Every structure is written in structure tokens, then in C-alpha cells.
Amino acid sequence: MNFTNLFSNINPKEVLSNLPDAVFVIDLDGRIVWTNDKAAIIFETKNSELKNMNFDEFVANGTELAQKSYSKKNSVVTGAFTPDGKEFFVEMNAKKYVEQYFITIRDVTAMTNVLTIAERTGRLNKEKNVMFVKLSNEFKSPVQSIIGFSQALMDGMGGKINDKQEKYVKIIHKNSSELLYFMDKFLEFAQAESSLFNCENQTFDLINTIQTIVKNNENILTAKNLTVEYDTEDFNKKAIHNDENAVKIILQNILETSIKLTDVGTISIKVDHPDMDVVKKSGAKIGKASSSLSYVRISISDTGMGLAEAELDGIFEPYTQLDKTHKKTIVRSITLGTAYTMLKRMGGAVWINSEVMKGSTFNIILPIEKEN
């Protein structure tokens, strides 16, 4: 086939006229030389009214942006105006030929509005969380008072109470204690999402930190007759560099979740260096000179009942659990959501493998070296 003869019959202006985008041809001073029909549709006018007008009257800094788009070989987004003053957003690309710019314009108002709303929503969400964190004492103090005074009544500090009164006081104490726990977890999650969360990296002994968290949960482990096993043979670093306080919160939240899922048996904690393929698949941040030794993997496994596939869906995303009626499911996702959010902001990752009747394994990936 002779492609030269094929394309020789094509009229360039006819092609430009039928493009789905608006097309402007302007001279170097910004005077509009020619437009296609799509330009008239987007700018809600006639081609005859566009011709010989200055491009800057319809596109903010249009001539300057055309030169910028041409020189940098990329598109630019700016504001545009119809002759009646209606404002909208456009994406434009420009090519230069002899003494003229050929410009294509696409209306991106809908997309720009979506991005603007998303940005505003994200900012308001962070500001809301900052407010929650700063008012945490105001939220928690009344509940703490209820717990304290109800405990005092049960201890007889207000005088002897009868059996019926004691029953009611115990209900008040139990429910207020559960409320305080929920508030602690909710505010912890709010802080993890807010702008108040900043990694304060330092060097610390990871194994010692893990053992401290386990010891903090000794009472509940003993009550459930659970044993904890450690496997750290494949971890050859004593000290790591990251945010120790954040690591403690992450470990506490995941360990207590694992304990709640287990009524009998063992909690196993394995610490090692993951293969780089595992790190990449996990979604953790990859440094320029990262190797397997740049990361630690902490695997917390239990011999509990495990979770069904339906329960795993959105397990680290509290907002997706709001339609669930089970309170424990929402609290668990808030707890795990805090760990997930913190790890993501620290350059790490977390995921869960679980099978009904066979238990669950939470895997944490954490960068452990100073960034150069």
C-alpha cells in the first residue's frame, strides 16, 4: 500500500475540525487565527466571534502558558472564560509551527472539582482529627470519673450498698470501662490520621521493646492460659532506627487483637529480615540503597479460631466497617487501622493471613535504618 498517496488526500484542516478537543491556532502575539467547531461549543460562542480576538481573553495567561506547554512538552491546567463570563477549567497542550501555536484544549472542570473536593475533604478530616486529639482529656475525664466513683462505691467508700445497688454499680463500672477503652482506641486512630503524627526516629532495642509489650499483656495472657514463644534467630541486628513509641502502639494493637482471637494455645512472635520481593509486594517504602537488612519483619501468629474471608475484607479500614452491627468488629478495625496508618506513614506495611480453625498471622514490615 502506498501510504504517501493515502495521506496526500487528507485535508489537515478537516482533521482538526473533527477532533474531539477544541483546537486553536494563534500567532505569537496571542491573536486567534483559526478555531474548530469544538472550540465554539466549549466556549459557548461562534467561531466568527473567536477569530481575531486575543487568546488571553478566553484562557487565563493563555499565550504565556502555550509557550510553557510547548517548551516543556507537557500539558497545563488553567482557568478559562466564555464571552458571558462563565468560568471553567481546561487542560491545554501546545505545539509550535513556524510563527504560530497549535493548541488543543479539553474541558476538565468536572475532574478538577472532584480533585478539589477530595483535597478539601482530606484536609478537613485531618483538622477534625487534630481537634479530637486536643480535646481528648475533655472526652475522657468524665468517663474516668464515673469509673473511679463506681469503683469507690463497690469498695464501700460511700457506705454499705445493698445487692441490687451493687449490681447496678457493677454494670455502670463495666460499661464505662468499655467506653473508655473505645475512646482510647478511637483517639489513638484519630492521632495516627492527623497532622499531629510525626515520626520521632531514634535507635532502640527492638527485641526488648517486643518483650516489654508482651509483659504489659501478661495478666490477660495468664487469664487465658496462653503461652508466648519467640523466634529471633534470623534477626541479626540488636538496635534498629525508627519511632519506638509508634512501634509500641503498633505491637500492642496487633498483639491484643491476636490474644482476643485466641482462647487456647500459643502466641508465636518471629523476627527476621524479609526478602526484598516480600518488601516490594507488601507496599513498604523502598529506599535507594535498600537491602533485606534494611527491614525487619515481625510475624505474630496465634492458634485461635481464625477469621473467615468475609471478616478479612476491610479489616484495616474502620470506615468500611460502619455498616457492620457487631461492635467488636468495629473496635478491632479501629485498633488495626491505627497500626496500618502508622506503619504506612513510617514507610512500613502490615497484612494478615488467616484461616478458619487454623489461626491468624499478622505480618509487619518496618524500615530499620537511618535514611541517608
Side-chain angles (χ1 to χ4, degrees), residues 1-273:
M1 180 180 292
N2 191 327
F3 286 99
T4 303
N5 292 336
L6 176 65
F7 289 110
S8 65
N9 296 322
I10 295 177
N11 185 333
K13 277 196 173 181
E14 186 177 341
V15 174
L16 293 174
S17 295
N18 290 290
L19 286 176
D21 296 334
V23 178
F24 285 79
V25 180
I26 68 172
D27 62 23
L28 299 184
D29 293 326
R31 184 178 64 87
I32 299 172
V33 178
W34 181 86
T35 62
N36 67 351
D37 292 339
K38 185 67 175 180
I41 294 171
I42 288 180
F43 285 87
E44 300 178 0
T45 186
K46 297 178 180 179
N47 280 332
S48 58
E49 293 183 9
L50 290 170
K51 192 173 181 181
N52 293 322
M53 297 290 289
N54 193 286
F55 187 57
D56 287 12
E57 293 183 43
F58 299 95
V59 177
N61 301 315
T63 308
E64 179 184 340
L65 290 175
Q67 196 280 328
K68 180 180 178 181
S69 174
Y70 165 70
S71 61
K72 294 192 174 181
K73 294 182 174 57
N74 60 16
S75 60
V76 293
V77 176
T78 186
F81 312 89
T82 66
D84 294 335
K86 175 184 173 183
E87 184 177 4
F88 56 105
F89 293 96
V90 296
E91 178 187 43
M92 56 182 281
N93 285 276
K95 299 293 181 183
K96 190 176 181 181
Y97 182 73
V98 191
E99 297 298 311
Q100 294 177 329
Y101 287 112
F102 287 76
I103 303 167
T104 59
I105 285 181
R106 179 172 299 177
D107 186 346
V108 293
T109 305
M111 184 183 299
T112 304
N113 287 340
V114 168
L115 294 173
T116 301
I117 291 170
E119 180 184 2
R120 185 183 300 120
T121 301
R123 186 174 65 252
L124 289 174
N125 187 49
K126 287 186 177 181
E127 290 173 354
K128 172 204 68 180
N129 286 331
V130 168
M131 181 193 73
F132 282 146
V133 174
K134 289 187 175 180
L135 294 176
S136 60
N137 286 334
E138 282 70 16
F139 291 140
K140 291 162 62 175
S141 292
V143 182
Q144 289 169 332
S145 293
I146 294 171
I147 293 172
F149 282 113
S150 60
Q151 183 65 56
L153 288 173
M154 288 190 294
D155 292 340
M157 293 180 66
K160 186 174 178 59
I161 57 177
N162 60 41
D163 292 343
K164 191 173 185 179
Q165 290 170 331
E166 184 178 8
K167 177 183 175 182
Y168 291 153
V169 171
K170 283 182 177 179
I171 293 173
I172 292 170
H173 186 271
K174 178 179 179 294
N175 289 342
S176 56
S177 296
E178 289 180 356
L179 175 60
L180 182 61
Y181 173 80
F182 175 79
M183 292 175 69
D184 278 334
K185 292 303 175 184
F186 177 78
L187 292 169
E188 196 176 71
F189 177 69
Q191 182 167 14
E193 276 202 323
S194 77
S195 57
L196 295 176
F197 179 81
N198 291 308
C199 290
E200 298 179 358
N201 293 342
Q202 58 191 14
T203 301
F204 63 96
D205 186 333
L206 176 62
I207 303 303
N208 182 65
T209 299
I210 293 173
Q211 291 173 341
T212 299
I213 296 301
V214 171
K215 189 173 183 180
N216 291 343
N217 290 270
E218 192 172 356
N219 288 341
I220 189 170
L221 286 166
T222 302
K224 300 185 81 170
N225 199 28
L226 299 176
T227 57
V228 178
E229 296 178 350
Y230 297 94
D231 180 357
T232 61
E233 289 183 5
D234 296 328
F235 183 63
N236 58 12
K237 287 194 174 185
K238 182 175 176 63
I240 71 168
H241 188 78
N242 212 302
D243 187 332
E244 184 179 13
N245 288 330
V247 170
K248 285 180 177 179
I249 293 172
I250 292 163
L251 291 173
Q252 172 60 38
N253 285 4
I254 291 179
L255 180 61
E256 72 176 58
T257 301
S258 189
I259 292 171
K260 287 178 180 178
L261 291 172
T262 311
D263 290 324
V264 61
T266 306
I267 305 289
S268 300
I269 302 175
K270 182 177 181 178
V271 185
D272 64 2
H273 296 284

